[in-house]
Amino acid sequence: MNTLLRVKTGMRQWCRYGAIEVGVKLIQKIDVRAIVVMAALVAAPAAAFAQTDEIQVYDAAIAEKGKFNLMLHNNFTPNGPKTAAFPGGIIPDRAYVGVAEWAYGVTGWFEQGLYLPLYSISKERGGSINGFKLRELFVLPHADDHTFFYGVNFEFSYNARYWDPKRVTSEVRPIIGLHLHPVDLIVNPIFDTSYNGFKNLDFAPATRLAYNFSPKWAMAAEEYADYGAIHKFNPVRDQYHQLYAVFDHESKFLNVEFGVGFGLTPASDKVNIKLMLSRDLN
């Protein structure tokens, strides 16, 4: 409980003094024992089914030390739920959601990230700004060169009320994977929290199985799920399960990831399209 109180206090300071400065303070204040506990749970996107700005499986790759990277996330739901996940929320059907993800390689094992602006265009609201996120990503250095790789990502979000019913939310995303050449298997067993108790951690894993045709081209199947709170998973029909067919292309000028996802349960989007564009800025 003391750890949660310290994190809550840090988030209030974040809103007051600015994301970057307070993000550093938060990392300094987080109890290492709490991080270990979260990682142990794993070895064993926000409120369930709400809109998400990032549809991505993390592979422990980060920007090189001293490099700035920009990734543009673009998500469109041509056929989704006709009602919001919570009263006053954004309706997913025919909604476009995007965010600019700014990243900086601090060391060979640590990347700092900022999601800003986070925005959407929906039928009932038109254009809206939905908040921002601070990200701290810790990984095995040069993960691409290892057969087995790992990492952990921490995100701290400040949300508009129509984006999430909770003003402040966070994510703990462990990264576990295998590079088997030419096949990749990656699992992100994600835990989301609204700081409303340990038993209410939301389990929302993401998985990727990819085949690399070459260093520049890959095809993958990705599954994104949300089972609900860990103390009692939702019934299967009320869980979120989305299966994507994904293509990746890397080049010196621009990296592209494009995918089409299909819902596997009534609570999922029937169809969702994602496009990610990224490149180093220096």
Side-chain angles (χ1 to χ4, degrees), residues 216 249-255 278-280:
K216 294 184 177 181
H249 177 61
E250 295 187 7
S251 68
K252 291 183 179 180
F253 175 72
L254 188 70
N255 296 332
S278 67
R279 63 164 296 159
D280 289 337

Side-chain angles (χ1 to χ4, degrees), residues 143-221:
D144 288 342
D145 298 332
H146 296 268
T147 300
F148 173 72
F149 58 92
Y150 53 87
V152 62
N153 180 65
F154 300 91
E155 287 184 4
F156 305 94
S157 301
Y158 184 79
N159 310 302
R161 294 294 189 189
Y162 46 81
W163 179 250
D164 194 290
K166 299 294 185 180
R167 183 69 79 182
V168 175
T169 56
S170 290
E171 169 191 292
V172 180
R173 180 193 293 248
I175 303 164
I176 305 167
L178 293 170
H179 289 310
L180 300 177
H181 305 294
V183 175
D184 295 333
L185 176 60
I186 309 170
V187 180
N188 293 173
I190 303 167
F191 291 92
D192 294 326
T193 180
S194 299
Y195 300 103
N196 56 350
F198 184 82
K199 70 177 183 178
N200 291 317
L201 287 173
D202 188 86
F203 184 51
T207 307
R208 175 180 167 94
L209 178 63
Y211 183 86
N212 298 282
F213 297 98
S214 72
K216 294 184 177 181
W217 288 96
M219 179 176 67

Side-chain angles (χ1 to χ4, degrees), residues 220-257:
E222 297 179 350
E223 203 262 349
Y224 298 84
D226 194 327
Y227 289 85
I230 60 173
H231 76 279
K232 186 179 180 180
F233 285 166
N234 296 326
V236 174
R237 66 173 288 107
D238 295 329
Q239 295 175 9
Y240 181 91
H241 291 276
Q242 200 87 5
L243 182 63
Y244 284 78
V246 179
F247 291 89
D248 298 84
H249 177 61
E250 295 187 7
S251 68
K252 291 183 179 180
F253 175 72
L254 188 70
N255 296 332
V256 179
E257 179 172 308

